[in-house]
Amino acid sequence: MNKYANVFKAWFGYAAIITLACGIIYVTVQQNFRLSANDPQIQMAQDAAIAIDKGADPKELAGTNAALELSQNLSPFLVVYDRSGNIIAGAATLNGKPLKIPQGVIDYILKNGRDAASWQPEPGVRQAMVGFSTAKKDYIVVAGRSLAPTEERIGRLGEQVAFGWVLSVIGLLVVAFLQDMITKKPVTA
């Protein structure tokens, strides 16, 4: 058998295991980054829904701050909708217009009590959004924030895992060559 075929044979199985391990690491950490991007919104929306159930005025919970333009802002936001999807309170806007989420999302939250999703209403604007219904199902509270920082973190993760993978498979190839050289039997006359 050819010298390089022996080295490749010794290297290939381990390289496949390294590739699988790097893939698992990437997917696991990427999902952790994305799911944890919902944490502040879960707290905001759930706390607001509970406060409304206890008699708080939705307009006071969402605040009456200046409009928060989603295409230009990373800040979290809170919007309160009625059962029909009409905005009751909230200052979030998209291209200067009040934030209108699809009625199907409102209906899903009313039916299931909550929802969490990535929402991309236009290119370059991705939001991690969480919605909760109040106990009486008369209001839907939606909280969200930009996914830009999380997506940057995921991009860096991909670069780091790829760099580690390249170093690992090259290092393993060097080890396979060295092992082949060490185990080679000398030719005697």
Side-chain angles (χ1 to χ4, degrees):
M1 191 182 264
N2 174 325
K3 171 185 173 180
Y4 296 113
N6 285 334
V7 170
F8 179 77
K9 182 179 173 185
W11 171 82
F12 184 77
Y14 293 116
I17 291 169
I18 289 171
T19 301
L20 180 63
C22 287
I24 290 169
I25 289 167
Y26 175 81
V27 169
T28 302
V29 177
Q30 182 271 341
Q31 283 297 296
N32 183 49
F33 282 165
R34 175 55 193 93
L35 293 174
S36 64
N38 289 344
D39 291 346
Q41 298 87 277
I42 291 170
Q43 178 186 357
M44 291 169 58
Q46 188 172 23
D47 288 353
I50 291 169
I52 291 170
D53 287 336
K54 291 182 177 181
D57 181 359
K59 293 178 182 174
E60 291 178 14
L61 294 172
T64 55
N65 300 338
L68 186 114
E69 177 56 43
L70 297 185
S71 63
Q72 302 169 355
N73 204 307
L74 300 177
S75 297
F77 62 88
L78 187 73
V79 180
V80 181
Y81 298 89
D82 67 11
R83 296 180 58 80
S84 301
N86 300 311
I87 296 174
I88 302 301
T93 62
L94 182 60
N95 300 319
K97 298 176 185 167
L99 186 62
K100 183 76 172 158
I101 60 174
Q103 185 62 42
V105 174
I106 298 286
D107 295 340
Y108 182 88
I109 295 169
L110 285 170
K111 179 180 177 188
N112 297 291
R114 69 181 281 180
D115 191 19
S118 298
W119 186 47
Q120 185 170 348
E122 64 182 42
V125 179
R126 280 181 41 89
Q127 302 290 312
M129 296 179 66
V130 175
F132 281 86
S133 69
T134 57
K136 296 178 185 175
K137 300 195 182 285
D138 45 358
Y139 294 105
I140 304 298
V141 181
V142 174
R145 72 176 175 155
S146 174
L147 276 170
T150 301
E151 290 172 338
E152 288 175 21
R153 201 171 296 121
I154 290 169
R156 282 194 304 274
L157 169 69
E159 293 167 358
Q160 292 167 340
V161 170
F163 181 73
W165 174 79
V166 167
L167 286 180
S168 297
V169 295
I170 290 173
L172 183 60
L173 187 59
V174 169
V175 168
F177 269 113
L178 290 174
Q179 185 178 17
D180 184 66
M181 286 177 21
I182 291 170
T183 59
K184 191 185 265 187
K185 294 181 181 176
V187 178
T188 56

